[in-house]
Amino acid sequence: MTRKELAAEILQERSEMFAKSARRERNPLPYYLLNLSHPTMHQLYDNWRIAKKGQARFPPSDIERTEFELEMLSDIALKALEQHFQEKSTKKVSPSRLQP
């Protein structure tokens, strides 16, 4: 699974989870994985945007932001996320769900 594919899976799941939590709670789940308010994270993010787009004036798309977050994760974390989405996609097409 590429990082772009993994980022898309994360955004899809996050959107679904965020919508569900927003309906039942005052404080919904955070939309992003990382808090960019931390000075070090913010600096890393700005550096990434400059390297990616040549400037840091305009925010990236949701998919680009998620790709940045994936770059900050360890290989162990990336493998765990990939496994999560592979298991999730396997459950969607399991034979027991296809039978009436």
Side-chain angles (χ1 to χ4, degrees):
M1 184 179 290
T2 67
R3 287 204 179 168
K4 190 170 221 97
E5 292 169 334
L6 186 55
E9 290 284 341
I10 289 169
L11 283 173
Q12 177 65 34
E13 181 182 61
R14 194 179 304 157
S15 294
E16 292 166 5
M17 291 172 62
F18 184 80
K20 285 179 187 176
S21 72
R23 285 192 297 265
R24 64 174 186 242
E25 298 176 22
R26 285 186 170 188
N27 299 320
L29 295 171
Y31 192 74
Y32 292 110
L33 299 170
L34 300 175
N35 180 356
L36 297 181
S37 296
H38 188 280
T40 302
M41 289 308 299
H42 188 75
Q43 185 62 52
L44 288 169
Y45 183 57
D46 282 346
N47 293 344
W48 176 84
R49 290 188 336 183
I50 289 167
K52 180 98 173 160
K53 295 192 175 227
Q55 51 80 24
R57 277 181 61 199
F58 302 106
S61 66
D62 283 341
I63 196 92
E64 290 171 329
R65 161 71 189 259
T66 306
E67 286 176 17
F68 162 74
E69 293 178 331
L70 290 173
E71 287 184 23
M72 297 294 104
L73 298 177
S74 70
D75 288 339
I76 293 170
L78 291 171
K79 293 260 188 243
L81 283 168
E82 287 178 9
Q83 184 177 6
H84 167 76
F85 288 106
Q86 286 170 352
E87 289 172 0
K88 189 175 176 183
S89 76
T90 303
K91 288 178 183 175
K92 285 182 183 176
V93 294
S94 69
S96 63
R97 292 182 177 226
L98 297 176
Q99 296 180 11

